[in-house]
Amino acid sequence: MAASSRRDWLRAAARSVLQLGATPALLTACASFERAGRFVSAEGLVLPWQRVGSRHIVVVGALDDPAPENGGTSGNVGLIIGRSASVAVNGGSSAAHGRALLALARELGAAPVRAAVVTQPLPQQVMGLAAFDDAGLPICATDGTAQWIAARCGTCLERLRATLGAERMAGTRIVVPALRPPADGVWQVGDLLLRLPRVGHAAGPDDLVLHDAADGVSWAGALGEVGRLPDLRDADPLALAPAIEALADTPARWVLPDHGPPGPPSALRGAADYVRALEREVRRGLDDGKGLNELLRAVTLPAWSGWVGHDRWHRRNVQAMVLRLEGRALDEDVMPG
Amino acid sequence: MCPVEPDPVAGLAPAWPPSAAPAASAARSRRRVLWHAGLIAGGAVLAALAPVSTLAQIKSGDNPDASPNWLKIRASLFGERQIAAAEAGVLQLETPVRAEDAAVVPVGVRTRLPVGGEHHLQKLWLIIDNNPSPVAAVFDFTPQSGRADLETRVRIDEYTHVRAVAQLSDGRLMMATNFVKASGGCSAPPGKDQAAAMASLGRMKLRVEGDVAANQPVQAQLMVSHPNNSGLAMDQLTRQYTPAHYVRTIDVRYAGEPVLKADLDISISENPNLRFYFVPRTAGELTAHIVDSKDLSFDGGLKIQPAAL
């Protein structure tokens, strides 16, 4: 899908969902959860959580990658709690993380978790899926995400085991989601009426976002990075900024990013601005005849130097952008700049 | 133990990579050297019998002259010939200390060595000690090259010394060495799915940088759409290794005259990319003739009209 039509389509989908069935009854029927809390799982994982809207619980994880210092709980996972059913959003970075999220749902007295949804095949979204699979819960993801998990996440698991240790990763295995988003994008789980528009290849190979019209809350997955540089390793660098901008334009009251605090949709723009600036600088360098080595040195984007990951994956992002522009030049018979 | 190199002349396919066809071109003897060095060193790596002190040396990058794989490659390619350490600026290798992506590691060679006249640079080997097939590329320069600077991108399988060895027309050898931290590049999954890669197989783009003046070296870039499968990457879905299929030679000419010839191997990254120089003396076409390991050939060209000085 072309970037402009993808953007228009995403906007339209978001608008339609936010007009979809936002009944006062639903809004007032929400559970009376506390605004925030701190849950310690039986396995010792600390989950600081907060309520967003009336029925979304987000467990705000570390901005950095999974590491022993953060107990492996990188990134945000959460729950959408209806009257008759709850849904988990992303699985966490280990089976223990996934189990902790399910335990948090019980602790909060939430309606039973009936399904989990995975927005991208990233470690913090995928590695905890064994907990949901063990509980017999269906896991929903796009075709592209499921295929990617099957093909590539095994290596990722090995690396994560080496990083976090066998004890922290006990019971963690690769689970390939079997459930696909409905073709019309409307997903009903118990009384929860959610919209799962498929974005395509942007942040990951086949992105999914989740809108809850009734509550005015959207889950951005890896299209939402706040205070942390987007990692373009598996992204389509040319599709990412338009996709983020489309999400930033949604009329939701809250957007829950993959990393960073919940906020208004406009909070996503910083990451889009970074990708735009990266594309602009790399194009300029290519036009000037710079090679990859030179571009890696020249494109520094210091305005984002305070963001987590700038010191570690910004250069990799430069390389990803160069390769994407060159790939486009070959595919479309245009110049790479 | 290292496998014995099969003799391509006798029509025997090499044991590895599985899809490599016997070379039938003039590059056969060069290819044999590549295979020989590759298999020797590859065997050495796979043997996993290196003593602890050797492994420590590999990880740290200390003492490049003592690298066990290098000693084998050196004996295979250069025998007892003396190899001088290149003076700074005369021959320089440009690599990242730590690669951003082990499957696409940019490597640049900068030289002040002439490509014509007395004592000119004839041939340049790009060697990655600890790759399964360490001789990544062999480049032949001609006076039409203008300058012997070039850039390409390689896969790196584990922490390794990377070397550029230059042979001058008088037979002297000189070498620049860098240590690069990267791992898993040769077995990394491709960036593009195979169906898409095969649909655009051999598509290429040639471009020149800046203004083109007659009789002055001009930088050019060649991009080729090719999966350059190493034969070492496993498809996790099928649990099968994708057979090796890679660009074997690139022959660049200008107005029919040879500019640069490259013998390549599985260490070259997906979508091979080469930046090099040439000297346009008259109007003409810069052409690239590419042959891959399945003996498929691809041609591309770019018409050039240099401005008179």
Side-chain angles (χ1 to χ4, degrees):
Chain A
M1 194 183 295
S4 59
S5 60
R6 184 204 307 264
R7 186 188 168 112
D8 293 345
W9 174 82
L10 196 58
R11 273 203 191 113
R15 277 200 197 93
S16 66
V17 76
L18 291 168
Q19 291 157 2
L20 195 154
T23 62
L26 233 172
L27 292 173
T28 53
C30 301
S32 54
F33 302 118
E34 296 295 323
R35 283 222 155 266
R38 188 171 173 274
F39 174 70
V40 182
S41 75
E43 292 161 286
L45 280 182
V46 179
L47 270 55
W49 60 269
Q50 63 185 92
R51 176 164 59 86
V52 176
S54 63
R55 58 186 185 182
H56 293 253
I57 298 293
V58 59
V59 178
V60 179
L63 275 179
D64 217 328
D65 283 341
E69 300 76 49
N70 57 39
T73 56
S74 166
N76 302 339
V77 294
L79 300 160
I80 308 171
I81 301 175
R83 286 168 300 173
S84 62
S86 299
V87 166
V89 185
N90 289 321
S93 53
S94 64
H97 199 184
R99 285 192 292 269
L101 187 59
L102 288 170
L104 172 62
R106 290 191 294 273
E107 174 79 8
L108 292 172
V113 175
R114 297 291 186 207
V117 61
V118 179
T119 53
Q120 281 88 17
L122 292 170
Q124 67 273 14
Q125 299 163 340
V126 165
M127 295 301 165
L129 293 178
F132 300 86
D133 191 49
D134 290 344
L137 299 172
I139 301 165
C140 178
T142 58
D143 275 329
T145 291
Q147 285 164 16
W148 191 276
I149 290 170
R152 303 204 178 190
C153 286
T155 308
C156 198
L157 174 56
E158 285 170 27
R159 286 188 187 146
L160 208 52
R161 268 203 191 104
T163 303
L164 297 178
E167 191 181 347
R168 176 59 72 203
M169 297 299 288
T172 302
R173 65 177 193 278
I174 300 302
V175 174
V176 179
L179 190 64
R180 299 288 167 265
D184 63 0
V186 179
W187 195 35
Q188 181 136 20
V189 183
D191 63 304
L192 291 173
L193 191 60
L194 307 170
R195 178 79 73 158
L196 297 177
R198 187 175 163 186
V199 181
H201 188 188
D206 194 1
D207 296 335
L208 203 59
V209 294
L210 188 152
H211 296 298
D212 178 6
D215 216 11
V217 177
S218 295
W219 290 78
L223 290 170
E225 299 287 0
V226 179
R228 170 185 159 113
L229 282 198
D231 186 341
L232 305 189
R233 187 166 27 186
D234 302 328
D236 178 345
L238 298 180
L240 181 55
I244 298 172
E245 287 159 356
L247 201 53
D249 285 345
T250 60
R253 285 182 294 135
W254 292 92
V255 166
L256 305 178
D258 195 42
H259 291 91
S266 60
L268 305 183
R269 287 200 178 279
D273 292 346
Y274 164 78
V275 181
R276 291 275 186 204
L278 180 66
E279 182 182 340
R280 195 167 52 242
E281 292 302 310
V282 168
R283 280 182 189 275
R284 184 177 298 155
L286 289 170
D287 285 343
D288 291 345
K290 289 188 168 78
L292 180 53
N293 263 326
E294 205 175 350
L295 284 165
L296 288 171
R297 284 193 300 268
V299 180
T300 54
L301 300 187
W304 284 269
S305 60
W307 283 36
V308 167
H310 189 277
D311 56 338
R312 276 164 292 154
W313 58 85
H314 167 67
R315 281 167 57 91
R316 190 165 73 210
N317 287 349
V318 173
Q319 180 155 326
M321 186 62 81
V322 172
L323 297 183
R324 178 66 182 91
L325 288 168
E326 288 179 348
R328 176 177 156 272
L330 279 169
D331 289 343
E332 299 175 16
D333 198 24
V334 295
M335 297 311 281
Chain B
M1 290 294 291
C2 305
V4 177
E5 182 214 10
D7 182 2
V9 182
L12 297 173
W16 181 92
S19 69
S25 69
R28 181 176 283 150
S29 59
R30 271 197 299 195
R31 175 77 26 209
R32 197 180 305 165
V33 172
L34 287 171
W35 276 117
H36 192 58
L39 290 171
I40 286 172
V45 172
L46 294 173
L49 295 173
V52 173
S53 59
T54 304
L55 291 174
Q57 178 264 315
I58 288 169
K59 298 302 177 200
S60 70
D62 293 340
N63 193 7
D65 292 337
S67 157
N69 287 348
W70 165 241
L71 294 175
K72 292 185 175 79
I73 300 158
R74 187 196 195 292
S76 168
L77 289 176
F78 308 112
E80 297 297 314
R81 293 165 69 187
Q82 192 174 9
I83 305 177
E87 288 174 33
V90 175
L91 174 66
Q92 205 166 318
L93 190 58
E94 193 177 81
T95 56
V97 174
R98 183 181 290 279
E100 303 306 325
D101 178 351
V104 189
V105 182
V107 175
V109 177
R110 311 259 174 263
T111 84
R112 286 210 304 260
L113 295 165
V115 289
E118 255 191 300
H119 310 304
H120 65 270
L121 193 155
Q122 249 180 357
K123 191 185 284 279
L124 188 132
W125 286 263
L126 185 61
I127 297 167
I128 303 167
D129 285 8
N130 294 335
N131 268 12
S133 186
V135 183
V138 185
F139 299 99
D140 285 309
F141 296 94
T142 73
Q144 295 283 352
S145 307
R147 279 168 70 172
D149 289 8
L150 55 86
E151 277 181 48
T152 189
R153 296 154 192 184
V154 298
R155 299 175 166 125
I156 291 187
D157 214 42
E158 58 176 287
Y159 286 21
T160 187
H161 291 103
V162 177
R163 301 165 196 271
V165 181
Q167 176 177 287
L168 307 189
S169 53
D170 59 12
R172 280 185 297 147
L173 295 168
M174 64 177 67
M175 177 169 71
T177 307
N178 282 357
F179 190 73
V180 179
K181 295 177 180 177
S183 60
C186 293
S187 56
K192 204 171 186 176
D193 74 72
Q194 284 297 302
M198 294 314 284
S200 60
L201 187 74
R203 197 176 291 169
M204 71 179 84
K205 185 162 273 299
L206 275 159
R207 61 182 288 202
V208 293
E209 311 295 355
D211 298 329
V212 179
N215 301 313
Q216 296 297 308
V218 178
Q219 191 174 37
Q221 183 180 16
L222 171 66
M223 295 181 273
V224 187
S225 183
H226 199 292
N228 237 46
N229 293 323
S230 67
L232 298 169
M234 180 193 277
D235 183 326
Q236 297 287 336
L237 284 175
T238 62
R239 309 302 291 174
Q240 300 288 315
Y241 284 93
T242 307
H245 182 197
Y246 56 95
V247 170
R248 214 174 57 194
T249 60
I250 298 177
D251 186 0
V252 179
R253 292 171 180 260
Y254 182 70
E257 295 294 316
V259 170
L260 177 75
K261 188 159 187 197
D263 250 349
L264 306 174
D265 211 284
I266 61 158
S267 292
I268 300 297
S269 303
E270 179 180 1
N271 296 335
N273 193 306
L274 189 59
R275 289 162 68 88
F276 58 93
Y277 282 84
F278 73 104
V279 181
R281 302 191 196 282
T282 59
E285 187 172 15
L286 183 68
T287 61
H289 176 67
I290 292 171
V291 180
D292 73 13
S293 58
K294 292 185 176 175
D295 280 335
L296 300 173
S297 62
F298 313 98
D299 291 279
L302 178 68
K303 288 195 166 46
I304 306 280
Q305 179 64 61
L309 282 177

